[in-house]
Amino acid sequence: MLTESEPIKKNIVLVGGGHSHVHVLKRYGMHPQPGIRLTLISKDILIPYSGMVPGLISQTYKYSEGHIDLRRLASFANARLIHSSATQLDLLQKLVHVAERPPVKYDLLSLDIGSTPAVPSVSGAEHALPVKPLDKFLTEQEKIREEVINKKNTYNIVIIGGGAGGVELSLSLDQQLRRNNALLQKNPNHLTITIIESKSTLLPDFNSAARKKLLKNITKRKIISLTKSRVDIINSNSVKLNTGEVLAADKTILVTNAQPPNWLLNTGLALDNNGFVRIDDFLRSISHPEVYATGDIASMENYDLPKSGVYAVRQGPVLAENLRRVFIGKNPKPYRPQKQSLALITTGDNGAVAARGSLAVSGKWVWRWKDKIDRRWISNYQTLPEMTGHKNASNDISDIEKMRCGGCGAKVPASILNRALERIPIQKKEGLAQGIDAPDDAAVIIPPSDKALIQTVDQFRSFTDDPYLFAKIAANHCLGDIFAMGAEPHSALAAIILPHDSEEIIAEDLYQLLSGATETLTEAGAVLAGGHTGEGAELAFGLTVNGYADPKKLLRKSGLKPDDTLILTKPLGTGVLFAADMQAKARADWIDSAFTSMLRSVGPCIPILQKYCASACTDVTGFGLMGHLIEMLSASNVIASINLKSLPLLSGAQELSLLGFESSLKQPNENSTKNNYQAIEHSTYPLIFDPQTAGGLLFGVPEQNAEQCIEELHKSTAPDATIIGSVSNNSASTSLVNFI
Ligand SMILES: Cc1cc2nc3c(=O)[nH]c(=O)nc-3n(C[C@H](O)[C@H](O)[C@H](O)COP(=O)(O)OP(=O)(O)OC[C@H]3O[C@@H](n4cnc5c(N)ncnc54)[C@H](O)[C@@H]3O)c2cc1C
């Protein structure tokens, strides 16, 4: 996380978490480069290592053994992670367009986005399953296993492509499907795998000794190979070949030649005949030297390299060095691929064949050798040194840093503010007589005469380096108080602190931040009416939100009634997850699902609460479930029973809590509520004190309405809404909360 104030001057944007980029991240984590902001835009956050792909398919490796957690690695590198896809480049403005979010500015750009199997231009190609993206394939593979077991007669798999990938896939898949499968052990012919290859042999690019050894394995496993054959038509349960032959195919899998994504075609980058980015020996685009490309997506002008992970791996250190050298004004270094590379092909049964030049060896020892190489490589990116939390190592105080003013002098200059504001949509709303478009000193709001004005304010430090995502979540959090009162958001004033960086960087961060905030406000029916932007040590954002409500219909904390059922609309655990994330100890997919939950607005829940006669409501935020519940119970003069087993939890929250991770606010939350209940030993108990960011609504409804209310909430924006307990009269108990 960016917490220190070394100014950022240049943006290096990495697109794709391929094998070269993981090295760049590790390198910048180990040797930070002052003044550089590294941003990684990646479609995936858990990425497979190519060398272990066959082992992942044959399930020789567990998922976690063969994948790299990009979130952890990016965090180690102090890189900003944007979990999304690049969709287009604006090479003139130096912008990367990203799916469903504002474009990202770069000074240097690097593409390591891999390739996917080419989809043959034949009718019915949509029926085929490409082997990449691998995660999608692994999910489908589980289904194939079940389909094989459930099919009454023979299950037929057709693999299109007989290169190394197709051969490795057929062997690994055969191994995985037959392992521990009583049906296939009894009747081996219940499964057939056929490889279709257009050339005269499988593995046409391999030396004859290696080919012979691998074909022996194909024959041993009774995998059928049809060479000099092309698929003409793909149907949902068959394929037709150019020879006229029709093969039954319950599953057709593509392991064809590597293909680049189509979006590169319109970027203006120089591409080769197949659409790959043409690069020079320094790994730079031949048309745009500020753009680098490595791995499968790159096509070297002076070398004809096969699409194999080994090149992306070897290019990584050169790329990392060149990005650094160009930043400090030095000449980049050339990458020289090795003349002969070693190919290690697994045979699915813990054996492998090694090929180099005209030589080949095989056996279990080759697999053990390969396994050792692969495990050593991936552990470089899985096991990271303890993080110091330092943004960079320099003690240099640059010109930007010198003589920074405090007080009003710490305000972001109007020129920067205007540049950012010009890029966000115009903010107009009935009742907003004057907003950010007017030159005056304050917003002017004219409320309707029959409505009460509801106001709330919240602000916090960033828990992610991505200002767009942070502002979306922060805005959602701030809106929660307005919704919890049963009010409609109208407008908001922003309080923003941006770290001291170059003007370019501040303007861009401000734009990202305002884009996120205004998007969330717009979705909630509100507008940004004004605000204040200052510079400070770290990124912080808050909103004062104005809402309107019928004063007679306000939802308050004080209305809970005996026999009410208590419902919580979002899972708990953001505090513990981000506490662990600060130490790079939370899994990427856990943090990802926490973000998804935090981005869900509670707004659409309010009409449902009102329909089912909610008696009282609050949003669960900093004081944790317990703090907010006790406020409600005290104000309503009732007590509650909470079923700890039923509490909805975010993925990973319980595991991390059991490992001892907790937010710095957890203990104060527990201390301030402890006189109201008897503490108990339970695995979810610590999480009732966990502070929540953009947490869910906690409310009471009459018992008879609870099930239907939950059903409707699940269909709206609260798929995790859960009954967590009930309310009763407080006459008999000394505790406000009892745990069941
Ligand atoms: C079945 C099979 C087995 C293989 N076995 C081996 C092997 O044993 N050894 C070997 O060296 N090679 C092997 N390969 C080849 C190897 O997988 C690739 O050559 C290698 O993965 C390429 O690495 P890369 O860094 O170019 O990209 P990748 O490893 O493919 O990484 C690219 C990343 O970029 C992301 N991305 C793509 N588009 C975007 C976008 N628009 N925005 C953001 N992110 C994006 C992707 O999601 C992906 O995470 C195998 C291939 C197959 C199909």
Side-chain angles (χ1 to χ4, degrees):
M1 201 167 291
L2 300 177
T3 51
E4 295 192 357
S5 55
E6 180 71 17
I8 305 284
K9 293 174 224 147
K10 293 273 183 230
N11 274 311
I12 296 184
V13 176
L14 311 176
V15 179
H19 298 49
S20 308
H21 282 173
V22 294
H23 185 85
V24 174
L25 292 168
K26 176 78 184 281
R27 160 79 189 263
Y28 279 75
M30 299 295 289
H31 307 286
Q33 177 66 48
I36 285 184
R37 169 177 296 142
L38 215 50
T39 299
L40 172 68
I41 301 170
S42 179
K43 192 151 74 173
D44 301 310
I45 43 169
L46 291 166
I47 52 145
Y49 169 43
S50 60
M52 292 168 121
V53 164
L56 285 164
I57 292 170
S58 63
Q59 292 185 353
T60 310
Y61 297 120
K62 284 195 234 128
Y63 186 91
S64 58
E65 285 175 312
H67 280 77
I68 299 167
D69 187 323
L70 278 186
R71 164 162 272 280
R72 259 186 221 168
L73 194 56
S75 179
F76 173 72
N78 263 320
R80 184 175 277 181
L81 173 67
I82 294 177
H83 181 193
S84 187
S85 296
T87 54
Q88 190 50 267
L89 303 178
D90 181 337
L91 296 166
L92 214 62
Q93 304 287 330
K94 296 196 178 165
L95 292 174
V96 183
H97 288 272
V98 185
E100 291 173 12
R101 47 175 295 148
V104 176
K105 202 147 182 53
Y106 65 84
D107 296 294
L108 291 176
L109 175 70
S110 177
L111 302 172
D112 181 15
I113 55 176
S115 60
T116 50
V119 179
S121 49
V122 297
S123 130
E126 68 279 8
H127 295 300
L129 170 67
V131 71
K132 279 184 166 192
L134 186 70
D135 275 4
K136 192 164 168 229
F137 180 80
L138 292 176
T139 312
E140 287 298 318
Q141 191 184 333
E142 282 307 307
K143 291 189 204 149
I144 296 175
R145 196 177 165 82
E146 278 181 21
E147 284 170 18
V148 171
I149 294 167
N150 294 334
K151 190 151 182 231
K152 288 220 169 62
N153 40 26
T154 307
Y155 191 92
N156 301 290
I157 294 175
V158 169
I159 294 175
I160 305 180
V167 167
E168 266 192 316
L169 174 72
S170 67
L171 296 169
S172 310
L173 196 56
D174 190 69
Q175 170 77 11
Q176 193 267 334
L177 293 174
R178 289 185 192 276
R179 186 192 294 136
N180 302 330
N181 189 330
L183 173 68
L184 290 179
Q185 273 154 18
K186 213 166 105 197
N187 177 13
N189 297 332
H190 183 76
L191 171 72
T192 74
I193 298 182
T194 305
I195 307 176
I196 314 281
E197 165 59 44
S198 59
K199 299 208 173 126
S200 59
T201 175
L202 297 187
L203 300 159
D205 301 329
F206 275 68
N207 71 50
S208 59
R211 191 183 311 129
K212 213 162 140 192
K213 286 177 185 295
L214 285 161
L215 292 185
K216 212 165 134 191
N217 281 277
I218 293 279
T219 312
K220 194 171 91 191
R221 283 185 177 270
K222 298 200 169 65
I223 293 168
I224 304 158
S225 82
L226 294 179
T227 52
K228 291 192 200 158
S229 303
R230 253 200 193 85
V231 172
D232 269 356
I233 301 174
I234 304 174
N235 291 315
S236 59
N237 56 6
S238 68
V239 294
K240 187 169 178 225
L241 305 184
N242 57 338
T243 54
E245 192 180 348
V246 176
L247 304 179
D250 296 286
K251 194 60 74 186
T252 303
I253 302 172
L254 296 180
V255 199
T256 39
N257 296 340
Q259 173 187 263
N262 281 337
W263 64 266
L264 277 183
L265 291 175
N266 305 320
T267 54
L269 281 175
L271 305 177
D272 71 8
N273 290 339
N274 296 316
F276 293 100
V277 181
R278 292 170 64 187
I279 58 164
D280 61 17
D281 288 3
F282 306 99
L283 308 176
R284 300 174 304 193
S285 152
I286 61 153
S287 58
H288 296 80
E290 68 284 7
V291 179
Y292 287 70
T294 54
D296 280 9
I297 200 61
S299 165
M300 292 197 80
E301 287 289 277
N302 298 323
Y303 303 92
D304 185 16
L305 302 180
K307 302 296 179 198
S308 162
V310 74
Y311 296 102
V313 165
R314 297 269 168 97
Q315 288 166 340
V318 182
L319 175 67
E321 178 60 13
N322 283 354
L323 293 173
R324 190 188 71 83
R325 290 176 76 85
V326 170
F327 175 72
I328 59 173
K330 285 194 175 173
N331 288 331
K333 285 182 161 177
Y335 162 72
R336 305 247 182 259
Q338 67 270 45
K339 288 209 173 68
Q340 282 184 341
S341 69
L342 172 72
L344 288 159
I345 308 290
T346 54
T347 48
D349 52 354
N350 286 359
V353 175
R356 188 180 186 129
S358 58
L359 301 174
V361 286
S362 61
K364 301 262 182 225
W365 70 271
V366 181
W367 187 83
R368 284 196 297 274
W369 178 36
K370 174 174 165 49
D371 178 56
K372 208 166 157 190
I373 296 173
D374 290 340
R375 283 186 192 271
R376 196 188 311 136
W377 187 86
I378 202 168
S379 75
N380 282 321
Y381 307 102
Q382 289 175 328
T383 315
L384 301 169
E386 282 304 313
M387 292 174 59
T388 58
H390 280 253
K391 179 175 163 188
N392 56 48
S394 169
N395 290 324
D396 275 4
I397 306 289
S398 72
D399 295 347
I400 301 169
E401 191 65 349
K402 280 178 202 157
M403 301 180 67
R404 301 206 76 88
C405 296
C408 270
K411 225 172 139 161
V412 164
S415 55
I416 296 183
L417 185 61
N418 290 339
R419 268 165 67 185
L421 286 173
E422 273 164 16
R423 293 168 70 191
I424 64 161
I426 292 168
Q427 305 287 297
K428 287 250 179 265
K429 174 100 182 162
E430 197 185 335
L432 179 66
Q434 189 169 285
I436 43 179
D437 50 341
D440 289 295
D441 294 334
V444 178
I445 296 163
I446 303 169
S449 56
D450 57 338
K451 294 280 166 79
L453 171 66
I454 316 293
Q455 277 193 313
T456 174
V457 63
D458 233 319
Q459 183 182 30
F460 40 77
R461 289 161 52 201
S462 185
F463 46 86
T464 161
D465 292 333
D466 178 348
Y468 168 81
L469 181 64
F470 168 53
K472 278 194 85 113
I473 293 171
N476 214 12
H477 179 100
C478 298
L479 286 160
D481 285 331
I482 294 286
F483 285 127
M485 295 288 294
E488 278 179 25
H490 174 268
S491 49
L493 302 169
I496 300 170
I497 301 290
L498 290 163
H500 314 299
D501 287 317
S502 73
E503 282 202 9
E504 282 295 315
I505 298 282
I506 295 181
E508 190 55 26
D509 280 358
L510 188 56
Y511 163 63
Q512 297 281 333
L513 206 73
L514 291 176
S515 296
T518 51
E519 262 179 44
T520 300
L521 287 170
T522 307
E523 278 157 26
V527 287
L528 187 67
H532 178 90
T533 307
E535 288 182 44
E538 55 183 331
L539 183 63
F541 179 82
L543 287 177
T544 300
V545 189
N546 309 308
Y548 298 144
D550 181 338
K552 292 188 233 70
K553 291 190 180 160
L554 285 175
L555 281 167
R556 293 180 185 274
K557 290 183 184 168
S558 56
L560 286 178
K561 298 198 173 52
D563 295 334
D564 270 357
T565 294
L566 287 170
I567 293 176
L568 178 63
T569 65
K570 282 192 191 183
L572 301 171
T574 61
V576 66
L577 278 160
F578 285 94
D581 188 48
M582 278 173 71
Q583 297 171 54
K585 292 290 192 289
R587 263 176 35 192
D589 51 336
W590 293 344
I591 295 296
D592 224 39
S593 58
F595 281 142
T596 305
S597 177
M598 291 193 284
L599 286 167
R600 283 197 181 110
S601 169
V602 294
C605 302
I606 297 301
I608 303 170
L609 264 68
Q610 286 163 335
K611 177 174 166 189
Y612 290 100
C613 308
S615 53
C617 179
T618 188
D619 63 331
V620 178
T621 51
F623 298 150
L625 173 68
M626 206 55 172
H628 294 285
L629 173 64
I630 283 170
E631 281 179 342
M632 292 179 90
L633 297 172
S634 308
S636 308
N637 196 23
V638 287
I639 62 170
S641 297
I642 296 295
N643 184 351
L644 288 175
K645 265 193 270 171
S646 72
L647 292 181
L649 301 177
L650 286 165
S651 304
Q654 184 139 9
E655 285 93 325
L656 291 169
S657 166
L658 289 171
L659 286 172
F661 289 100
E662 60 182 39
S663 156
S664 52
L665 200 56
K666 184 249 166 191
Q667 200 52 54
N669 280 350
E670 186 169 358
N671 294 345
S672 60
T673 55
K674 65 183 176 197
N675 297 332
N676 297 295
Y677 49 84
Q678 288 282 318
I680 63 163
E681 283 285 321
H682 193 281
S683 55
T684 49
Y685 180 76
L687 291 162
I688 61 179
F689 309 107
D690 188 57
Q692 302 305 293
T693 304
L697 296 173
L698 171 66
F699 65 96
V701 280
E703 191 185 354
Q704 67 275 18
N705 294 351
E707 288 298 340
Q708 261 186 303
C709 179
I710 285 274
E711 231 173 83
E712 282 199 37
L713 285 170
H714 286 176
K715 288 184 204 147
S716 76
T717 54
D720 300 302
T722 308
I723 294 175
I724 62 161
S726 58
V727 178
S728 49
N729 226 308
N730 84 345
S731 53
S733 178
T734 50
S735 296
L736 275 187
V737 182
N738 297 301
F739 299 110
I740 49 172

